[in-house]
Amino acid sequence: MTIGVFARAANVTPSALRFYDDCGLVRPDAVDAVTGYRYYSLDQIDEVILIRQLREAGLPLGEVRRLLAGPVEVAEELLAAHVRAMERAVEVARANATTALALIRDQTSNVVSLPGRILAEAIGQVAPAADRTGEIRVLGGVLIEAAMGELRLVATDRYRLAIRSMSVRGWRRRVPTAAVVTATLLDETRQWIGEQDIVQLRFADSHVRLDGPGGERLLPTMKEMFPAYRVVLDGLPEVLTRVVAPRGLFLAALGDDPQARLDLVVAGDLSIRSSAHPQAAIAVPADITGGPVAISFQFATLYPALAASVGPDVMLQISQPDLPVVVRSADGGDFTTLAMPVKAGTPSGHQGES
């Protein structure tokens, strides 16, 4: 039979027969010396069909050659080993496909999950930094921002900027999704949030939905655009002085007059003088790196920033006396506050210009 007729009889393509010939698996029964045409005999059909089935089963060419050359026992061993390898490959493929699908769903999901107590704690730290005067409506809100496995809460009253970051499950989008919710509403919902083992946040156009074992809460969102707080963070110059002090002693040295101005002098140690008691400066033990600096704050700005921190110690990162100071918990960087200083001569009760 010509190669075309034989190919149709064996249910393979002529190119496959040429490939088998080149590989030495199945030689033509005869080749015309003048034309080079290949001719096959009927008794070669079974061998070609067997090779086709082995190849369709995924058996490598070398294994096919070994199987054809060996006894039945070799064929049984080779085929059993091949099937086991294929089954393992299917298991690996199934596991990888499941993982890939989960990642795809994460990238398109609008759901964030985290423990309720952690979210409630973050709200308690950040919400007090929101503006309460109502002069700029959006500053009375808290920005809730999700991106790349992190949930961030941000609030500012122009003199203080509070930021809390938390690791979350179920959110891997690179592009942040954000919403602004009024701080008072978050405060009202905070107790319920803290009672939930797990809280799921779903972002929608007009609200953020909270789901937990205890039910659900809908938090309407504000339409106004939240200030570009990252510009402030990115614009801070190099830190020149760092102060690490016991938080309890630091807070005690600030006093309790909400109208006071606080003058801090960093020069070998930390000295704090309040305008409420200008005759006496209070020394606070501190670990200081960098040069000496004198800087002033309103009590209403610095005290809440320190009080909202976590851990026994607090860190102040000072670049210049007239630029925002970064306040961090010394043991962790997931909560950060920027506190705006004032001029040393600013009267008590006024934020002043820096």
Side-chain angles (χ1 to χ4, degrees), residues 7-76:
R8 288 191 293 273
N11 195 25
V12 297
T13 62
S15 62
L17 290 173
R18 296 188 188 97
F19 177 76
Y20 296 161
D21 184 10
D22 294 340
C23 293
L25 287 175
V26 181
R27 298 292 191 186
D29 190 57
V31 178
D32 190 297
V34 177
T35 64
Y37 289 168
R38 295 174 171 91
Y39 295 92
Y40 294 82
S41 62
L42 282 173
D43 59 6
Q44 292 180 290
I45 287 181
D46 288 344
E47 184 179 19
V48 170
I49 291 175
L50 173 59
I51 293 173
R52 186 199 73 206
Q53 290 175 333
L54 293 174
R55 294 292 288 163
E56 289 179 351
L59 207 68
L61 198 61
E63 299 296 291
V64 171
R65 186 177 285 108
R66 287 180 58 198
L67 187 148
L68 294 176
V72 173
E73 291 78 13
V74 172
E76 291 175 345

Side-chain angles (χ1 to χ4, degrees), residues 156-229:
T156 181
D157 60 2
R158 292 177 292 173
Y159 306 105
R160 183 159 50 109
L161 173 66
I163 304 168
R164 171 68 187 269
S165 299
M166 297 156 282
S167 296
V168 295
R169 293 179 293 177
W171 193 278
R172 294 296 181 269
R173 293 184 184 180
R174 294 183 180 276
V175 179
T177 294
V180 182
V181 176
T182 59
T184 53
L185 182 56
L186 275 177
D187 259 339
E188 293 169 1
T189 315
R190 182 156 62 102
Q191 180 176 346
W192 177 87
I193 293 173
E195 295 169 351
Q196 311 306 307
D197 289 336
I198 295 292
V199 174
Q200 290 185 329
L201 288 79
R202 288 177 169 84
F203 291 83
D205 292 337
S206 60
H207 65 271
V208 174
R209 174 177 162 180
L210 305 180
D211 289 294
E216 68 175 46
R217 296 290 189 274
L218 294 181
L219 307 179
T221 55
M222 305 173 71
K223 296 181 179 179
E224 294 87 348
M225 185 73 68
F226 196 82
Y229 72 94

Side-chain angles (χ1 to χ4, degrees), residues 102-114 144-152 166-179 200-204:
L103 290 174
I104 292 171
R105 286 172 175 165
D106 283 350
Q107 290 172 355
T108 58
S109 172
N110 65 342
V111 179
V112 176
S113 298
L114 74 165
I144 306 174
E145 186 178 58
M148 290 301 294
E150 181 180 86
L151 186 71
R152 179 175 287 192
M166 297 156 282
S167 296
V168 295
R169 293 179 293 177
W171 193 278
R172 294 296 181 269
R173 293 184 184 180
R174 294 183 180 276
V175 179
T177 294
Q200 290 185 329
L201 288 79
R202 288 177 169 84
F203 291 83

